[in-house]
């Protein structure tokens, strides 16, 4: 689970950089409180809810599919299937 948490945090970081926005701007656009967003990114929040992820995606202007459509998430899915 810890690896998945890091993957989510890294994905948010990557997308903020790609879109040239700060966490503050993402927080405003997504209506996710800045503290919640920061806790997800720093790992304090162990399991962000799907509604929060959906809001973050809306703030980034991407689909949930696009958020999770990376090789890191595919690897996590493959790993879970083996267990």
């Amino acid at each position: 689970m810890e690896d998945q948490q890091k993957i989510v945090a890294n994905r948010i970081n990557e997308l903020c950089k790609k879109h040239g926005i700060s966490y503050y701007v993402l927080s405003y656009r997504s209506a996710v409180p800045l503290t919640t967003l920061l806790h997800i990114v720093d790992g304090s929040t162990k399991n962000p809810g799907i509604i929060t992820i959906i809001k973050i995606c809306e703030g980034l202007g991407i689909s949930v599919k696009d958020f999770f459509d990376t090789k890191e998430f595919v690897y996590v899915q493959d790993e879970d299937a083996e267990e």
Side-chain angles (χ1 to χ4, degrees):
M1 182 66 111
E2 192 172 308
D3 289 339
Q4 295 164 354
Q5 176 186 345
K6 287 179 185 175
I7 293 170
V8 169
N10 289 340
R11 184 69 173 143
I12 292 169
N13 282 323
E14 172 188 314
L15 290 166
C16 281
K17 286 178 185 173
K18 179 180 177 182
H19 292 274
I21 62 172
S22 66
Y23 296 140
Y24 178 81
V25 171
L26 178 56
S27 170
Y28 179 79
R29 289 183 183 174
S30 65
V32 172
L34 182 58
T35 53
T36 300
L37 187 58
L38 293 175
H39 286 227
I40 293 168
V41 172
D42 74 11
S44 301
T45 297
K46 304 297 181 198
N47 189 16
I50 189 64
I51 300 303
T52 302
I53 297 295
I54 290 168
K55 287 181 169 185
I56 290 169
C57 291
E58 289 171 353
L60 290 164
I62 64 170
S63 69
V64 175
K65 179 186 181 298
D66 289 339
F67 184 87
F68 289 108
D69 193 19
T70 67
K71 67 179 191 265
E72 292 82 9
F73 286 113
V74 171
Y75 177 72
V76 168
Q77 291 171 357
D78 289 345
E79 221 176 55
D80 288 343
E82 292 173 6
E83 293 177 356

